[in-house]
Amino acid sequence: MRTALCDRLGIEYPIIGFTPSEHVAAAISKAGGLGVLGCVRFNDAAELDGVLDWMDANTDGKPYGVDIVMPAKIPTEGTQVDLDKLIPEEHKAFVERTLAELGVPELPEEAEQRAGVLGWLHSVARSHVEVALKHPIKLIANALGSPPVDVIEQAHSHGVPVAALAGKAEHAVRHVNNGVDFVVAQGYEAGGHTGEIASMVLLPEIVDAVGDRAPVLAAGGIGSGRQVAAALALGASGAWMGSYWLATEEYLTTMPGSVAMQTALVNATSSDTVRTRIYTGKPARLLKTKWTEAWAAPEAPQPLPMPLQNLLVSPAHNRLHETNDPQLVSMPAGQIIGRIDRVRPVAEIMAELISGYEEALTRLDKTRG
Amino acid sequence: MRTALCDRLGIEYPIIGFTPSEHVAAAISKAGGLGVLGCVRFNDAAELDGVLDWMDANTDGKPYGVDIVMPAKIPTEGTQVDLDKLIPEEHKAFVERTLAELGVPELPEEAEQRAGVLGWLHSVARSHVEVALKHPIKLIANALGSPPVDVIEQAHSHGVPVAALAGKAEHAVRHVNNGVDFVVAQGYEAGGHTGEIASMVLLPEIVDAVGDRAPVLAAGGIGSGRQVAAALALGASGAWMGSYWLATEEYLTTMPGSVAMQTALVNATSSDTVRTRIYTGKPARLLKTKWTEAWAAPEAPQPLPMPLQNLLVSPAHNRLHETNDPQLVSMPAGQIIGRIDRVRPVAEIMAELISGYEEALTRLDKTRG
């Protein structure tokens, strides 16, 4: 399982693993892929700096990358206090009423100080880039299309390539025109921010649209070697995987409070996700729970635009999290979670991807006329 | 491009082509695939009989199949007059108002006699089976899950295998338990009746769920050899293609009034479809037009259950059709229509599938370590 991408990124297998967990990211890199650490959870860039120090000490010199969330259109800026004033009372009341109906207790005073996610403010995302470029990162990915051109130039001046997500071929072309080096073709089935076109159709469209100007990574629906083979058959240079790493032992090392989330993923089928704007304000695929169902009810308000929706729901996410109830998890996840049947070490998943890939190619060999 | 399916069906390539056009079906079979004629348009079984006589005379002895639409749950039976009484006035008024707003003229008296589609009544679908089994058909496919067990037994008693569509693994297992011989895994991106799970995820799920009890055909998003290779990498034994044959010269031979529809397909991108209940009462993916947009408006009524919804909209479909306006076409179609850039002969598409498949395998060869 080797493509030109491997040489370009200095990795053994064309598997790019996105994860908010530094332990997962390091394990992916050590297993021969490229671990990409999600930065959106770091409201404070100094905290990210410390975690990247840990990465540098724990990846055996293997390449790794970071993922920022920088919307193409600059959203409302401001402190959390400023932004909170823009959230309608109707929405706050709906959240409170829903949590009460779901039996979710309030948090003790000291716990309530945990902030909402500010990582998608340009100011915060730029601080992530500043900090990350002081480390030997091999990729900056933007989870929401092209970052601003000056950010791309900043990365390039450090010799770091930039990847951007695209859910349509026209977006992919725009990214490449902006200087983006890799396109992540994010299919409908993917977790997190995603469009409406499924990978089977989207991937060759994007590959054809960008031609040899940029390698394309296939994102959405990948959790087995067969699926990596399908992605490469469709023209991808590698696979971008996210959801599948959530049910790993290493994830639990970073986030020990994630047992309920992992239980929910193990229990879920591929029908147990929903694409909705309730997490960030933009359409994103989430694990289907009582919380997402409440927002789908006819009496629920329309979600707010980014970044307000996440500021609205972040305190609720904290409260949902503390219930340790798999029915009340709030988590972006793709349809591939239906394949997750237990919590495993990263290396085991990686080994299975590689052997499954070889098996798929052997099967295809037999179809030659 | 050869799998065990080829021997089982007596075909050269594992390409199953569903189409309502006998000219397309015959051309697919003559090009080495299996043409499968959709029967739902034949309210009168005698008409189907005549068309199958034509197939027998025009397929050079190559195998072909038929596709019926027999819902698992028996819907309301009755004549069109009986059923019309069950349609609410609100719905009739919405249809009339929408057609007026879209500037769609009424039809002359004699044209209005064209009936709605009754092919999904069990009584009519059973008459299709009766008639088809008098011809040398090699497959009966049901576009809506398992047909009743006695219909499966009837087909088997004539040595004819039965295929059924599935949008979830549990449905596929149920079909096989009912005696179905082939499962058509219908991904979210597919045209017509479809579920929410994309092919990349659905296909290996169904392959694993049915194991070696039944070969699985991949449906949804297939219009190139790369996509056939992806489907086979995911474990499919063949590809089931529908939408891609709509933009063929042979289709126009059967339905000369389809120029506007073909123009619409050539113009459409992969974003120009929508999954909605407005065509049959069950979720189906259609070409996005002013008509589908009108039904998506907040003031539009909820679609009726099958078979009432199609009886409601069939006269409207006739009127929309007569406008010859690509913006007003009513047509089931999958996301793959974004790849259609011109009207071509069937044989050219088939040749491209085969060469594209070989290219994909050659590309995959280079990824071996």
Side-chain angles (χ1 to χ4, degrees):
Chain A
M1 194 203 283
R2 198 163 177 86
T3 68
L5 187 77
C6 296
D7 297 323
R8 184 132 169 214
L9 291 173
I11 54 181
E12 198 173 352
Y13 308 111
I15 305 289
I16 320 296
F18 163 77
T19 171
S21 152
E22 59 272 21
H23 295 89
V24 173
I28 293 167
S29 288
K30 287 198 284 187
L34 187 81
V36 173
L37 181 69
C39 296
V40 80
R41 75 175 163 103
F42 301 103
N43 287 356
D44 177 0
E47 195 194 344
L48 172 62
D49 201 19
V51 167
L52 294 181
D53 283 341
W54 183 91
M55 289 286 289
D56 296 336
N58 289 278
T59 39
D60 298 352
K62 302 278 189 177
Y64 72 88
V66 297
D67 180 275
I68 57 172
V69 183
M70 201 176 254
K73 288 181 196 150
I74 297 178
T76 312
E77 278 285 349
T79 66
Q80 180 154 4
V81 174
D82 294 337
L83 291 169
D84 274 348
K85 292 180 189 150
L86 299 174
I87 297 175
E89 288 304 319
E90 178 205 355
H91 285 75
K92 292 179 185 170
F94 172 78
V95 166
E96 282 306 317
R97 194 169 65 244
T98 302
L99 290 172
E101 284 168 9
L102 294 174
V104 178
E106 297 195 17
L107 298 185
E109 282 283 327
E110 65 275 21
E112 284 191 65
Q113 306 308 317
R114 283 176 59 181
V117 175
L118 296 172
W120 28 62
L121 299 185
H122 265 221
S123 52
V124 178
R126 280 177 183 274
S127 74
H128 294 156
V129 173
E130 291 284 348
V131 161
L133 286 173
K134 293 179 188 155
H135 295 265
I137 57 169
K138 297 300 178 201
L139 183 72
I140 295 180
N142 185 24
L144 273 178
S146 298
V149 171
D150 72 287
V151 172
I152 298 174
E153 286 169 357
Q154 187 185 7
H156 287 175
S157 74
H158 286 75
V160 175
V162 175
L165 256 66
K168 289 187 178 188
E170 66 205 73
H171 298 170
V173 171
R174 196 193 306 151
H175 299 341
V176 175
N177 288 344
N178 287 342
V180 161
D181 305 277
F182 302 103
V183 174
V184 180
Q186 177 91 339
Y188 166 83
E189 54 271 69
H193 293 123
T194 186
E196 293 189 347
I197 310 170
S199 291
M200 183 70 92
V201 171
L202 180 69
L203 197 44
E205 276 191 344
I206 289 187
V207 167
D208 290 352
V210 304
D212 55 10
R213 298 176 67 200
V216 176
L217 305 175
I222 301 183
S224 72
R226 282 179 286 182
Q227 287 154 330
V228 177
L232 268 53
L234 293 169
S237 297
W240 173 279
M241 294 170 52
S243 310
Y244 216 66
W245 311 110
L246 293 172
T248 56
E249 292 172 4
E250 290 87 347
Y251 191 92
L252 213 53
T253 307
T254 311
M255 329 255 187
S258 298
V259 172
M261 182 273 285
Q262 293 190 328
T263 302
L265 294 186
V266 168
N267 292 343
T269 72
S270 54
S271 298
D272 293 327
T273 70
V274 60
R275 186 172 168 270
T276 166
R277 295 202 301 112
I278 70 166
Y279 198 83
T280 70
K282 290 177 183 285
R285 184 172 300 283
L286 310 182
L287 182 67
K288 197 187 280 177
T289 63
K290 290 179 184 171
W291 173 248
T292 62
E293 294 291 293
W295 278 92
E299 65 275 19
Q302 287 299 306
L304 300 171
M306 181 180 279
L308 300 180
Q309 179 67 18
N310 190 266
L311 290 172
L312 167 68
V313 295
S314 275
H317 290 173
N318 290 339
R319 285 172 60 181
L320 291 163
H321 182 80
E322 292 301 319
T323 64
N324 292 312
D325 180 349
Q327 300 278 321
L328 294 174
V329 166
S330 176
M331 177 57 68
Q335 293 185 337
I336 193 61
I337 61 171
R339 181 163 285 274
I340 295 174
D341 59 0
R342 63 192 191 282
V343 174
R344 296 190 291 170
V346 164
E348 189 179 316
I349 292 173
M350 191 69 96
E352 202 175 271
L353 290 171
I354 296 157
S355 66
Y357 182 84
E358 295 301 330
E359 283 163 25
L361 261 61
T362 303
R363 195 150 30 74
L364 286 177
D365 272 340
K366 294 181 187 152
T367 67
R368 290 179 201 261
Chain B
M1 193 203 282
R2 199 164 176 88
T3 68
L5 187 76
C6 296
D7 297 321
R8 184 130 170 216
L9 291 173
I11 55 181
E12 198 173 353
Y13 307 112
I15 304 288
I16 320 296
F18 163 76
T19 172
S21 153
E22 59 271 23
H23 295 89
V24 173
I28 293 168
S29 288
K30 287 198 283 187
L34 187 81
V36 174
L37 181 70
C39 297
V40 80
R41 74 175 164 103
F42 301 102
N43 286 355
D44 176 359
E47 195 192 346
L48 171 62
D49 201 18
V51 167
L52 294 181
D53 282 341
W54 182 92
M55 289 285 289
D56 296 336
N58 289 279
T59 41
D60 298 350
K62 303 277 187 176
Y64 72 88
V66 297
D67 180 274
I68 56 172
V69 183
M70 202 176 252
K73 289 181 196 150
I74 297 179
T76 313
E77 280 284 350
T79 67
Q80 182 155 0
V81 174
D82 294 338
L83 292 168
D84 275 347
K85 291 181 189 150
L86 299 175
I87 297 176
E89 287 305 321
E90 178 205 354
H91 286 75
K92 292 180 186 168
F94 172 78
V95 166
E96 282 306 317
R97 193 169 66 243
T98 301
L99 290 172
E101 284 169 8
L102 293 174
V104 178
E106 296 195 17
L107 297 186
E109 282 284 326
E110 66 275 22
E112 283 191 67
Q113 306 308 317
R114 282 175 61 181
V117 176
L118 296 172
W120 27 64
L121 299 185
H122 265 221
S123 52
V124 179
R126 279 177 183 274
S127 75
H128 294 157
V129 173
E130 292 284 349
V131 161
L133 286 174
K134 292 179 188 154
H135 295 265
I137 58 169
K138 297 299 178 202
L139 183 72
I140 295 179
N142 185 24
L144 274 178
S146 297
V149 171
D150 71 288
V151 172
I152 298 174
E153 287 169 356
Q154 187 186 6
H156 286 174
S157 73
H158 286 74
V160 175
V162 175
L165 256 65
K168 290 188 178 187
E170 65 205 76
H171 298 171
V173 171
R174 195 192 307 149
H175 299 341
V176 176
N177 288 344
N178 286 343
V180 161
D181 304 277
F182 303 102
V183 174
V184 180
Q186 176 92 337
Y188 167 81
E189 54 271 69
H193 293 122
T194 184
E196 293 189 346
I197 310 169
S199 292
M200 183 70 91
V201 171
L202 180 69
L203 196 44
E205 277 191 344
I206 288 186
V207 167
D208 289 352
V210 304
D212 54 9
R213 298 176 66 200
V216 176
L217 305 176
I222 301 182
S224 72
R226 284 178 285 181
Q227 287 154 329
V228 177
L232 268 53
L234 293 169
S237 296
W240 172 279
M241 294 169 55
S243 310
Y244 217 64
W245 311 110
L246 293 172
T248 55
E249 292 172 5
E250 290 86 347
Y251 191 91
L252 212 53
T253 307
T254 312
M255 329 253 187
S258 298
V259 172
M261 182 274 285
Q262 292 190 328
T263 302
L265 293 185
V266 168
N267 292 342
T269 73
S270 55
S271 298
D272 294 326
T273 69
V274 60
R275 186 171 168 271
T276 167
R277 294 204 298 114
I278 70 167
Y279 198 84
T280 69
K282 290 179 183 284
R285 185 173 299 283
L286 310 182
L287 182 68
K288 196 188 280 178
T289 62
K290 291 178 181 170
W291 172 248
T292 62
E293 295 291 293
W295 278 92
E299 65 273 18
Q302 288 299 306
L304 301 170
M306 179 179 280
L308 298 181
Q309 179 66 18
N310 190 267
L311 290 173
L312 167 68
V313 294
S314 275
H317 290 173
N318 290 340
R319 285 173 60 182
L320 291 164
H321 182 79
E322 293 300 320
T323 64
N324 292 312
D325 181 348
Q327 301 279 320
L328 294 175
V329 166
S330 176
M331 177 56 69
Q335 294 185 336
I336 194 62
I337 60 170
R339 181 163 284 274
I340 295 174
D341 59 0
R342 62 191 190 282
V343 174
R344 297 190 289 171
V346 164
E348 189 179 316
I349 293 173
M350 191 69 96
E352 203 176 270
L353 290 171
I354 296 158
S355 65
Y357 182 84
E358 294 301 331
E359 283 162 26
L361 260 60
T362 302
R363 197 151 29 73
L364 286 176
D365 272 341
K366 295 180 185 153
T367 67
R368 292 179 200 257

